[in-house]
Amino acid sequence: GENVGLHLPTLSVQEGDNSIINCAYSNSASDYFIWYKQESGKGPQFIIDIRSNMDKRQGQRVTVLLNKTVKHLSLQIAATQPGDSAVYFCAENRVDTGRRALTFGSGTRLQVQP
Amino acid sequence: ETGVTQTPRHLVMGMTNKKSLKCEQHLGHNAMYWYKQSAKKPLELMFVYSLEERVENNSVPSRFSPECPNSSHLFLHLHTLQPEDSALYLCASSQGSGIMNTEAFFGQGTRLTVV
């Protein structure tokens, strides 16, 4: 697949466990962050977003934490299921360059063992 | 389905061919994007169109030529490509013509192989 050549960090968890996927961003001026999930053969799919005026946001089975002090973003998935197996990307909007599009990280592969 | 449709899903072309990728969004968005996803690099932004006007061209070679005839359609015209251009080409759309602060919806992508 399109991510095979990249040496993606891989997180392997047992079904039912909680997963935590981490992402570091570089631009302290970024004010909007998104987590995407990409399954094999598909485009990235929105999971959850967070703005810089928040440090936590919860969705269904997912929580995003933002630590602006250390420029760190994490995605927590509760009760991980086999269907959660995918590559997860964090993306940021880097406002300093006036960019009108998201900048993506290289991704983390999540493998859920049944 | 995300409301963003890309065709074709797969394309094999020779280095002397001319082909076009098509993207259509049914979400009423006014910004559209082309991204390239290859085996060796993460998602790379190629072009941004906002209100049918190109607002960003991210140092993409001229053998890639985008076209946005209206806010619902986006094309990527390809000619004299190189094997290293083989990748998954993703189209996305979002609402808002200013600094992007809303989620982007992606299509399934066109897997391009240049032989």
Side-chain angles (χ1 to χ4, degrees):
Chain A
E2 53 277 356
N3 294 311
V4 171
L6 289 170
H7 293 289
L8 297 176
T10 299
L11 175 65
S12 186
V13 300
Q14 292 292 319
E15 182 178 357
D17 287 351
N18 296 333
S19 303
I20 300 177
I21 301 172
N22 297 304
C23 176
Y25 64 94
S26 57
N27 186 359
S28 57
S30 292
D31 65 354
Y32 180 61
F33 306 87
I34 302 181
W35 279 101
Y36 281 92
K37 170 187 180 183
Q38 187 174 23
E39 297 173 275
S40 181
K42 296 184 178 180
Q45 180 183 4
F46 173 88
I47 301 174
I48 192 168
D49 61 358
I50 189 168
R51 302 187 189 281
S52 59
N53 61 349
M54 303 173 68
D55 53 20
K56 180 179 180 179
R57 190 160 190 231
Q58 287 184 293
Q60 186 177 11
R61 272 199 318 117
V62 294
T63 301
V64 56
L65 299 177
L66 175 62
N67 185 330
K68 294 181 285 295
T69 303
V70 296
K71 298 197 284 288
H72 183 268
L73 196 67
S74 69
L75 176 70
Q76 300 178 1
I77 305 173
T80 314
Q81 302 169 359
D84 295 326
S85 294
V87 177
Y88 289 80
F89 296 94
C90 66
E92 63 177 305
N93 178 262
R94 300 183 58 168
V95 298
D96 63 332
T97 60
R99 288 174 66 104
R100 293 180 171 82
L102 298 169
T103 300
F104 284 80
S106 57
T108 297
R109 187 182 307 279
L110 176 65
Q111 294 178 337
V112 182
Q113 309 297 329
Chain B
E1 290 296 327
T2 63
V4 180
T5 304
Q6 289 187 244
T7 54
R9 291 293 309 276
H10 301 273
L11 177 63
V12 179
M13 61 185 289
M15 289 188 283
T16 58
N17 291 160
K18 290 185 180 180
K19 296 287 184 183
S20 295
L21 310 185
K22 179 182 177 181
C23 177
E24 185 173 0
Q25 58 98 1
H26 309 279
L27 302 168
H29 291 164
N30 54 19
M32 296 187 77
Y33 313 80
W34 280 116
Y35 279 87
K36 175 184 178 182
Q37 188 175 37
S38 66
K40 297 183 179 180
K41 294 184 179 180
L43 276 158
E44 300 174 86
L45 178 67
M46 300 176 71
F47 300 104
V48 180
Y49 275 83
S50 176
L51 298 173
E52 302 154 42
E53 177 185 348
R54 190 191 309 181
V55 295
E56 187 158 340
N57 176 347
N58 207 29
S59 301
V60 180
S62 59
R63 57 187 184 268
F64 295 92
S65 175
E67 178 189 3
C68 187
N70 55 63
S71 59
S72 299
H73 293 86
L74 184 66
F75 295 90
L76 187 62
H77 303 301
L78 316 171
H79 68 96
T80 60
L81 295 192
Q82 304 298 313
E84 60 264 29
D85 296 322
S86 298
L88 182 70
Y89 288 85
L90 289 159
C91 173
S93 71
S94 70
Q95 184 57 33
S97 55
I99 301 296
M100 183 171 166
N101 61 357
T102 61
E103 67 182 281
F105 292 81
F106 284 83
Q108 300 275 47
T110 294
R111 181 174 300 283
L112 174 68
T113 303
V114 181
V115 297

